[in-house]
Amino acid sequence: MAASMLRSGWSSLLLLVTLAAYSQPADSLRGFRKPTGLRVGTDLIALGKTIARVPLTGWELNADIDLGRFYPVVELGSWKRKQPLVNGMYTNSGRYARIGMDINFLLKDPDKNMFFIGFRYGRASYSEQVSYTLTPDLFPVVQQTLSNAGARAGWAELTTGLRVKVWRGFWMGYTARMKFLPHTSGTSAFDSYDIPGYGLPFKGLYWGFNYQVFWRVPFERH
Amino acid sequence: MGFYNTSGTLVTVAVDSIAISGLNAYLIPETGLQTFQLPLNPQATEVLITFYMGTQMHTLALTYQVETQVVSKDCGALAYLNDLQLTTTTFAQVTISNPRLTTNGGINVKIRME
């Protein structure tokens, strides 16, 4: 299954690169160009969850830079889950980072609004703990606590979304993510239940969504 | 676990009582046994089972691994017992037919009676 997901992921990537190469005339921003500004933003959904005190709390910062139609992206985040279970409690806490590239398909927009398709590679470093009650037949009830103190994980993503200039340097947008190929290490006590920046790894494909606000800092004043 | 004859057919065996390490009681079957659901301690990784059968006594020592998985918030965290292995026995022949232990997984240990 992982191999077929990897194949479909690479196929999709190849398709979008091909689309990027042939969808615009030669005088457009098809190639790489000198960057004109840095855009820094954050995810409102993560902040909303944190304020609402849902089981998952955290923050995420996003930054990209324009190289013609190509936008190298760095994303950093913090993720903490406190999930009550029917027989105990699961908690995790950690940081994650993603790097990748977005490819803009709206090349003639004067404001550089974007509809993009892109890819990411993510890494997370985190700790997790589960405490639960076991009620085995005939043997006494047991309270069990297990920890993965130095867990690490990696994964890949295909992304798509919009970036729209609202006013001056203020931008808004969203990013939809298809996450796949999660892999973990340092999880000897139990298999990871929730990977910061990814989600539940045992579900195979996992979907994510960010609603973001940005501030763009131009490198040169016109 | 199940009791089999030399041709591989389940047979009923008269067992007076069963002692399981870590359990401060004997299990006393009401009738003869063909199959037997072995209770295991998830806090241990080995078990010694002693079968008292009339004037005979047989022992069976097994090891296993305990693996925790957080399934979901509604199912909670579960302890799976797997990698079941035979250490020693006084029975003529014992085979591990399925090393992953479940409550509805059929026969994990086949004991051949002579």
Side-chain angles (χ1 to χ4, degrees):
Chain A
M1 181 182 165
S4 69
M5 283 165 53
L6 183 62
R7 273 198 301 274
S8 75
W10 282 116
S11 301
S12 304
L13 187 60
L14 190 63
L15 178 65
L16 73 90
V17 169
T18 308
L19 280 171
Y22 288 99
S23 61
Q24 296 294 325
D27 61 348
S28 71
L29 297 172
R30 196 169 73 183
F32 285 94
R33 288 205 172 179
K34 184 180 169 188
T36 63
L38 172 69
R39 189 164 43 198
V40 180
T42 190
D43 178 24
L44 294 181
I45 293 177
L47 293 179
K49 285 179 176 176
T50 301
I51 293 165
R53 296 179 180 274
V54 297
L56 178 63
T57 61
W59 50 263
E60 184 172 308
L61 294 177
N62 315 83
D64 65 13
I65 195 167
D66 58 319
L67 300 175
R69 75 182 313 180
F70 300 100
Y71 286 72
V73 178
V74 175
E75 296 166 333
L76 303 172
S78 172
W79 179 300
K80 189 180 284 188
R81 184 185 289 274
K82 187 174 183 182
Q83 180 66 62
L85 307 173
V86 70
N87 62 343
M89 178 69 77
Y90 169 86
T91 57
N92 73 2
S93 178
R95 300 285 171 92
Y96 62 91
R98 306 186 195 101
I99 59 169
M101 178 98 76
D102 289 333
I103 301 168
N104 184 17
F105 287 84
L106 298 181
L107 299 184
K108 294 184 175 178
D109 191 291
D111 288 330
K112 290 197 171 185
N113 292 325
M114 289 174 69
F115 164 70
F116 67 88
I117 296 175
F119 60 90
R120 305 278 189 277
Y121 178 71
R123 294 287 301 173
S125 176
Y126 58 104
S127 62
E128 60 183 346
Q129 179 173 303
V130 61
S131 297
Y132 67 107
T133 304
L134 273 172
T135 50
D137 289 343
L138 300 179
F139 289 95
V141 172
V142 179
Q143 181 71 34
Q144 190 98 280
T145 300
L146 300 169
S147 298
N148 291 322
R152 292 178 184 277
W155 68 93
E157 297 181 5
L158 290 177
T159 58
T160 186
L162 290 176
R163 302 278 184 268
V164 177
K165 184 177 180 180
V166 178
W167 176 75
R168 291 194 159 192
F170 182 61
W171 292 62
M172 298 183 82
Y174 71 83
T175 304
R177 305 171 186 277
M178 184 180 80
K179 309 177 188 183
F180 54 98
L181 291 179
H183 46 281
T184 59
S185 61
T187 56
S188 55
F190 63 99
D191 288 344
S192 276
Y193 174 64
D194 180 60
I195 298 173
Y198 183 90
L200 310 183
F202 50 86
K203 292 198 169 186
L205 282 181
Y206 201 72
W207 301 90
F209 187 82
N210 304 110
Y211 192 79
Q212 297 148 308
V213 291
F214 299 91
W215 190 261
R216 185 172 185 274
V217 182
F219 291 148
E220 291 178 13
R221 292 275 176 201
H222 295 290
Chain B
M1 58 180 64
F3 296 97
Y4 292 81
N5 61 18
T6 51
S7 60
T9 308
L10 274 171
V11 291
T12 302
V13 175
V15 178
D16 299 325
S17 61
I18 302 167
I20 297 171
S21 59
L23 202 59
N24 296 324
Y26 289 89
L27 303 180
I28 300 173
E30 292 179 357
T31 59
L33 288 181
Q34 274 196 336
T35 61
F36 166 58
Q37 188 165 318
L38 175 68
L40 289 176
N41 185 357
Q43 280 205 302
T45 57
E46 58 186 17
V47 62
L48 176 67
I49 311 145
T50 307
F51 296 87
Y52 297 96
M53 308 158 87
T55 57
Q56 286 189 318
M57 184 185 82
H58 283 290
T59 59
L60 180 61
L62 302 167
T63 61
Y64 53 91
Q65 300 296 318
V66 183
E67 180 188 319
T68 293
Q69 277 190 13
V70 183
V71 178
S72 67
K73 65 177 182 179
D74 293 326
C75 295
L78 303 176
Y80 291 99
L81 307 180
N82 53 35
D83 199 19
L84 184 68
Q85 293 184 10
L86 174 68
T87 309
T88 60
T89 185
T90 58
F91 286 109
Q93 186 184 354
V94 174
T95 54
I96 306 296
S97 55
N98 180 6
R100 187 169 178 86
L101 291 153
T102 58
T103 52
N104 56 358
I107 303 293
N108 295 91
V109 181
K110 291 183 174 179
I111 301 171
R112 201 188 79 192
M113 306 299 292
E114 295 194 321

